[in-house]
Amino acid sequence: MFKGLILIDNDQVDYSLDLIAVVNRLAQGEAFIYGLGINLPEEVKGLDALINVEGPSIQLKDSRVMTDIIEQVHREYQFDSIIILATEFGRMVAPRVAMRLGVGLVADITDIHVDKRGKKLVRPAFSGNIMASIVCETSPIMASVHPNVFHAEDLTKMPEKIDFYPAGLKASSIEVLDITESEHNGIDIREADVIISAGGGFSEPIDQLQGLADELSGVVAVSKQLVDRKRAPREIQVGQSGKTVSPDLYLALGIYGSTQHIEGLKNVKEIISVNTDLGAPMNHLASIVVHGDAAEFARKLSTRLKG
């Protein structure tokens, strides 16, 4: 039986449990899925077993301590796969665990294919210009996954609880000196049903889109290009290096549609693309294409809605 482990991120429990779908795709058959929870803040469902580690002195944000715990758990249970959420912290933990176990790591995967050639993990390569299929020949298979890329459907099962006591954990040397709150306090774009998203072809200040977003009961998002130009915060970036979104409506204003950006769109029901470039890849994904200036379209649509 295929045995998989997912690391549960205490700040993103729901997205962590979606990784159950990743293990099932890799198993292509019967799988037994363990979750590793460290000082979990809530009860979880959907797993076959929950390996529970508790201790007031465990520093959850110390990637070295987390690596030690995962290594000890793997030595005990010998998993066929270890899957970690690709958060900022997960991106520190995953390569450390892979090095410790002497295996490869496929980061930021977006799809899985299993055939006679083996288990292939798909991820963007060459700055998101192509999609690479990587055959994993080492065990355990290790991968990191963006939140909201995969979705687990049945999360009703109560897991068997297993208390685990790591041996010889070193005290963390990390000390929190300061916490800076994000300037963006709006709705997480991953939870929105309507997204008004601006790209490099949107010439006006991003703040001007908030009125249109309010009229449509949606949120404002941007492409990587605007984040790189310091015109918008990374918290609202859609794409492989940003967030993966699944809205009912995605209004793409001046977005070219690179592979890096497209990989941030999953199960979007309707796309409206507004662009002066009719050859933009985003237009080929859209239900409706508007040939014109994105900023002008946004102003006129906002005026029409208010009227």
Side-chain angles (χ1 to χ4, degrees), residues 26-37:
L26 286 171
Q28 291 291 295
E30 192 173 1
F32 195 91
I33 304 175
Y34 295 80
L36 174 58

Side-chain angles (χ1 to χ4, degrees), residues 15 34 56-57 62 72 103 157-158 190 206 237:
Y15 288 128
Y34 295 80
S57 63
D62 191 330
Q72 291 189 37
V103 298
K157 182 189 300 183
M158 289 298 298
R190 291 174 297 198
I206 302 305
Q237 178 191 329

